[in-house]
Amino acid sequence: MDGGQKIDCFNIVMADGRRHVSHQFRCFLCGKKDGAKVHCVEECCIAPGGTKIPYFHVTCARQAGLEVSSDPDFVLACYRHANSSFVFRARLEDFMEIEIMRYSEKAQMKNLLKISNPMSWDHASRLFHSAVDVLRTLGWAWRWAEWWVESGDNWEPLIRDDQNEEEMTDKELKRVESTPESRCDDARRCRLAALGAALRNRDYDKIEGDDQAPLERALMAVMSTPSLVGPLKQKEKEFYVTWFSLAYRSAAPRLGFGDHKTPVESDSYCVHQADGSLKFELGARPLPGKTPPEKENGFFEPRVDEPDDFLQILTSGSPIKKKRQRQSA
């Protein structure tokens, strides 16, 4: 417009009263065309595995752990362009920081009062809500695992004022080198995408006891994948697994699992290109963690032959529709 002013039309309803201006675009997470959608803040962004600009429902983006903020201006950034504080590993570190601060406060109190300082209700509440937020993000791994495999993340180490990054080794910085091929192998080994689908549908509730050892084994496999979560110590892994298991068993609506899950399309981005099977449901895939690790004291179950779209170029159209067209030809 004149004067260089811009009008944001993403939330404008069309004359028919039913569709939004952005109705022709699919949400790159749920695959649906309805509702208002926003494209990545990076104007030249291209969707992973494709050639199109990714659009997202704000609610889907927030649940999946993408950057959604409004301070001072509204920003929505895709997995590849999100601020480093929004990546999955950084969310884990923020979660751990709550516990670290508790111990720091405990040490201070012990020095002052010479008595023990058990966990307060405030700290327990903060830990639980943080666990819910991180687990909710993991419940969308059936979708974002492909992006992580292709692009990795933009995690950055937190440097204290008394540290010099240039003088520190990668080990001290806790950097983990990886390639798309190595991340593809890691995602398949820990069954990252399948776990996201199982969490989303609360598949660990279907058989009594599956929300105990099988769930904990599946979570431990993910926490034992350094390229995704960093080089964790065993106690740190156990801490995460304990709290994420508690968050799952709480069945909190905020998780977005089971009856509270976000509706998604049954075509396009949400199905595997090879066979048209649904990414967001386990289907014929075995429950992650159901089979014990293949080695004693190991973390990963035997390899499972299951479909995925890792490192594949997205094709136009729906695999399900193409399958039906072939069958009817």
Side-chain angles (χ1 to χ4, degrees):
M1 294 183 62
D2 294 339
Q5 293 181 337
K6 295 182 180 179
I7 297 179
D8 191 347
C9 299
F10 83 90
N11 202 25
I12 295 179
V13 178
M14 298 185 72
D16 60 14
R18 293 181 289 110
R19 297 176 298 164
H20 287 85
V21 171
S22 59
H23 74 96
Q24 72 269 34
F25 302 111
R26 288 182 181 271
C27 170
F28 205 62
L29 281 161
C30 73
K32 288 187 170 293
K33 291 186 175 181
D34 60 345
K37 291 170 286 292
V38 185
H39 61 72
C40 175
V41 68
E42 184 66 34
E43 294 183 0
C44 299
C45 178
I46 298 297
T51 58
K52 299 180 179 180
I53 299 173
Y55 283 76
F56 304 92
H57 290 121
V58 174
T59 51
C60 292
R62 192 184 300 278
Q63 289 182 5
L66 304 187
E67 180 180 359
V68 180
S69 59
S70 56
D71 184 20
D73 299 319
F74 178 82
V75 171
L76 190 154
C78 73
Y79 190 88
R80 185 161 44 189
H81 296 118
N83 183 281
S84 59
S85 62
F86 286 86
V87 304
F88 187 70
R89 178 176 173 181
R91 290 177 181 272
L92 288 174
E93 292 172 340
D94 289 343
F95 179 30
M96 180 63 74
E97 187 68 19
I98 299 174
E99 182 70 350
I100 292 174
M101 291 300 296
R102 181 175 79 88
Y103 273 96
S104 176
E105 293 173 6
K106 181 177 179 179
Q108 294 174 15
M109 290 294 293
K110 190 172 182 180
N111 290 333
L112 291 173
L113 305 177
K114 305 299 182 182
I115 59 175
S116 61
N117 182 32
M119 182 183 293
S120 66
W121 283 109
D122 177 63
H123 263 106
S125 176
R126 291 170 61 194
L127 284 169
F128 173 76
H129 286 292
S130 183
V132 167
D133 287 344
V134 177
L135 192 65
R136 179 178 63 182
T137 297
L138 193 56
W140 279 88
W142 63 269
R143 187 71 187 93
W144 59 254
E146 299 168 16
W147 312 343
W148 173 72
V149 166
E150 179 179 319
S151 305
D153 59 45
N154 57 353
W155 175 87
E156 292 290 341
L158 180 62
I159 308 299
R160 299 195 309 266
D161 293 338
D162 60 342
Q163 293 177 319
N164 186 337
E165 183 175 358
E166 296 181 356
E167 298 177 355
M168 300 174 69
T169 65
D170 285 345
K171 184 176 181 180
E172 292 173 328
L173 293 169
K174 296 186 177 181
R175 284 202 175 103
V176 179
E177 296 295 329
S178 65
T179 64
E181 291 73 20
S182 68
R183 290 191 295 272
C184 178
D185 186 66
D186 289 344
R188 288 170 175 167
R189 184 174 58 169
C190 74
R191 303 193 62 202
L192 178 60
L195 175 59
L199 292 172
R200 167 184 165 82
N201 298 291
R202 297 202 64 88
D203 288 331
Y204 291 96
D205 295 351
K206 295 180 178 178
I207 297 179
E208 185 176 357
D210 278 354
D211 63 348
Q212 300 289 332
L215 173 61
E216 292 170 4
R217 284 196 292 259
L219 291 170
M220 182 60 77
V222 172
M223 295 301 114
S224 301
T225 304
S227 55
L228 177 64
V229 303
L232 300 178
K233 299 177 181 179
Q234 184 60 26
K235 288 293 185 181
E236 293 173 320
K237 298 177 187 178
E238 294 171 355
F239 169 81
Y240 288 130
V241 169
T242 297
W243 278 99
F244 294 155
S245 299
L246 289 172
Y248 177 87
R249 290 192 285 268
S250 75
R254 188 175 176 182
L255 285 167
F257 298 165
D259 293 339
H260 306 284
K261 61 191 175 187
T262 299
V264 298
E265 280 295 348
S266 297
D267 63 1
S268 190
Y269 315 129
C270 302
V271 298
H272 296 110
Q273 295 189 72
D275 59 4
S277 61
L278 303 177
K279 295 179 182 179
F280 55 87
E281 292 183 1
L282 279 182
R285 292 177 286 178
L287 185 70
K290 187 72 171 180
T291 302
E294 55 185 342
K295 296 181 180 179
E296 186 177 357
N297 298 323
F299 303 113
F300 305 102
E301 60 186 283
R303 288 296 181 114
V304 176
D305 184 14
E306 56 190 352
D308 62 57
D309 284 353
F310 298 154
L311 301 180
Q312 294 189 31
I313 301 299
L314 294 178
T315 57
S316 60
S318 165
I320 293 180
K321 292 180 181 178
K322 291 180 179 180
K323 184 177 181 181
R324 290 172 180 169
Q325 290 172 355
R326 290 195 298 267
Q327 291 174 344
S328 62

